[in-house]
Amino acid sequence: MPKAENKTTVTPVDPADFIAAVEHPTRRADALVLDGLFRRVTGFQPRMWGPTIIGYGQYHFIYDSGREGDFLATGFSPRKANLSIYIMPGYADFGSILDRLGKHRIGKSCLYVNKLADIDLTVLEELVRAGLDDLGQRWPVEPS
């Protein structure tokens, strides 16, 4: 049976060009703020992962099943419906931080925010750092 390839991989698209092309002005402005926040917190330069995700750092995983690959360590996507923020690899409970964040929803490994005005950016910075620290305990995180 052939090995499954990761669907989301690094692309050559410039993240700044991608952000500049976001149609909705609030979503574009929020993406610029998030780009600065992720650069500051991670110390990594952004790279596009797939057509719509801006990632900061990466890690190589190998599951017990033998599946392996590379994925972004943290990042976000300014989608039409909301901002998808990839900060929770699904290993730790960040409930005490999330309780202080503001209006949001969570998925398996994503945080969904309608707009940055709905949340506390200082708490988001804390959450990004906590997510990276947790991920780094499982897989080495490297610059992307």
Side-chain angles (χ1 to χ4, degrees):
M1 186 160 139
K3 198 174 204 178
E5 293 292 322
N6 289 340
K7 293 179 183 177
T8 306
T9 59
V10 172
T11 70
V13 175
D14 183 338
D17 292 342
F18 172 73
I19 291 172
V22 172
E23 289 184 25
H24 193 279
T26 301
R27 194 76 73 231
R28 184 173 52 253
D30 284 353
L32 287 169
V33 170
L34 284 174
D35 180 45
L37 183 147
F38 276 92
R39 287 175 190 248
R40 187 171 55 257
V41 172
T42 67
F44 301 140
Q45 293 298 306
R47 296 206 50 201
M48 291 300 300
W49 287 76
T52 62
I53 300 173
I54 302 170
Y56 302 80
Q58 66 184 41
Y59 66 100
H60 184 79
F61 61 86
I62 303 173
Y63 295 142
D64 290 340
S65 66
R67 179 183 161 114
E68 67 180 279
D70 298 302
F71 201 64
L72 63 119
T74 190
F76 70 95
S77 180
R79 302 193 188 275
K80 286 186 181 184
N82 51 41
L83 297 164
S84 297
I85 304 173
Y86 302 91
I87 52 176
M88 300 173 290
Y91 301 117
D93 176 10
F94 296 117
S96 64
I97 301 172
L98 290 168
D99 289 344
R100 298 181 283 116
L101 182 64
K103 186 178 174 183
H104 69 278
R105 291 181 300 110
I106 56 172
K108 187 173 182 180
S109 62
C110 291
L111 174 73
Y112 300 103
V113 175
N114 289 331
K115 59 188 178 301
L116 292 185
D118 291 342
I119 63 170
D120 184 325
L121 293 180
T122 302
V123 175
L124 180 61
E125 287 185 17
E126 181 183 344
L127 190 56
V128 170
R129 172 52 45 211
L132 271 178
D133 289 347
D134 182 59
L135 178 63
Q137 291 177 23
R138 289 158 177 75
W139 313 105
V141 175
E142 302 175 350
S144 50

